[in-house]
Amino acid sequence: MLISVKPIAISALLLLLTASSLCFTLINASKSSDPIPTPWPKQFHSILFMNNTKGNLQVVDLWYDYPNGRNFNIIQNQLGKRLYDLEWDNGTSYYYTLDANKECRVMHFPVGILRPNWLQGGNYLGQRYMDGFLCNVWEKVDFIWYYEDVVTKRPVYWAFFTGMIAHVMTFEVGKVLEDPNWQAPVYCFKEAKEQEIDSFVSHDVSMGRLMGAAMDVSLLR
């Protein structure tokens, strides 16, 4: 007696297609369930402990004030100079000291300060422990690896493509630096020569401006 194999073959094919469809659905569900990075608060104060590509240590006093279009990095180099990096959303940056040397450079960039949602579209890499915190991790345009505490949603650690790393020591949401502190010294306007920046590959360019350039391009893709 001959047994037809057609029904068996069709059943096997249907089973295979069903399994493939289920697998595809599970992959899509997994992708859609990936956590979304928390946008930065519109105003905050943070202290960062940083190690740059040369192994130099810095403590950075970061004031982010998006509603007023300004960002301020007060950078204390280990046993060295304190540099004030004042950035405005119109692309103007003032790099100066407040010591007796009265150094200042004024630069113009084609990008403003970082937007609160600058991490939008980042590539989710999963969860990892960093500095004792369980973090969600994202990578953005091969420029930055961003670690966010799973519980509090606060940033914990940043690693840049240059090798520079930043440990977030404090993160105070809503804290704002008083207006008089945002004023660059008078010698920035009298003595500093404005410089147009043609390339972002410069030791004089702050990481904030580099991030702004990278994220500005990525959000337009």
Side-chain angles (χ1 to χ4, degrees), residues 72-77 80-86 94-106 183-188 191-192:
F72 204 179
N73 298 285
I74 304 173
I75 306 164
Q76 177 62 59
N77 292 285
K81 184 182 298 185
R82 175 173 290 188
L83 175 67
Y84 295 79
D85 169 14
L86 177 57
Y94 299 90
Y95 301 90
Y96 58 90
T97 65
L98 293 178
D99 56 21
N101 293 327
K102 296 184 177 181
E103 300 171 89
C104 185
R105 297 184 71 183
V106 183
Q183 179 61 55
V186 64
Y187 48 85
C188 282
E191 300 175 9

Side-chain angles (χ1 to χ4, degrees), residues 26-107:
L26 289 174
I27 291 173
N28 280 346
S30 175
K31 200 71 177 176
S32 63
S33 64
D34 284 349
I36 298 172
T38 304
W40 273 4
K42 292 184 177 181
Q43 294 173 314
F44 70 85
H45 172 237
S46 184
I47 294 177
L48 311 174
F49 178 74
M50 304 190 71
N51 191 335
N52 68 16
T53 54
K54 297 179 180 179
N56 299 326
L57 302 182
Q58 299 173 326
V59 175
V60 178
D61 213 359
L62 168 62
W63 297 88
Y64 179 76
D65 189 355
Y66 187 73
N68 292 302
R70 56 195 186 182
N71 187 64
F72 204 179
N73 298 285
I74 304 173
I75 306 164
Q76 177 62 59
N77 292 285
Q78 185 180 24
L79 300 177
K81 184 182 298 185
R82 175 173 290 188
L83 175 67
Y84 295 79
D85 169 14
L86 177 57
E87 304 169 356
W88 292 91
D89 204 33
N90 64 3
T92 303
S93 284
Y94 299 90
Y95 301 90
Y96 58 90
T97 65
L98 293 178
D99 56 21
N101 293 327
K102 296 184 177 181
E103 300 171 89
C104 185
R105 297 184 71 183
V106 183
M107 297 184 179

Side-chain angles (χ1 to χ4, degrees), residues 113-170:
I113 65 172
L114 284 174
R115 286 168 276 181
N117 67 338
W118 64 269
L119 202 55
Q120 172 187 319
N123 180 33
Y124 182 63
L125 302 179
Q127 294 186 344
R128 299 174 187 171
Y129 277 95
M130 178 57 65
D131 295 339
F133 298 89
L134 179 61
C135 299
N136 287 315
V137 185
W138 292 269
E139 168 272 323
K140 187 70 182 284
V141 296
D142 292 324
F143 184 91
I144 186 172
W145 286 256
Y146 186 92
Y147 291 67
E148 178 187 278
D149 183 19
V150 169
V151 177
T152 66
K153 308 301 181 184
R154 293 178 301 183
V156 171
Y157 175 88
W158 310 332
F160 299 92
F161 79 102
T162 59
M164 178 182 285
I165 60 174
H167 301 265
V168 181
M169 306 303 291
T170 66

Side-chain angles (χ1 to χ4, degrees), residues 187-205:
Y187 48 85
C188 282
F189 304 95
K190 289 183 177 180
E191 300 175 9
K193 182 180 179 182
E194 294 186 355
Q195 301 183 38
E196 296 292 337
I197 301 301
D198 297 320
S199 171
F200 288 106
V201 184
S202 168
H203 296 297
D204 297 312
V205 178

Side-chain angles (χ1 to χ4, degrees), residues 3-19:
I3 300 176
S4 174
V5 297
K6 287 184 179 180
I8 297 176
I10 292 173
S11 297
L13 179 60
L14 288 173
L15 182 61
L16 180 62
L17 290 173
T18 301

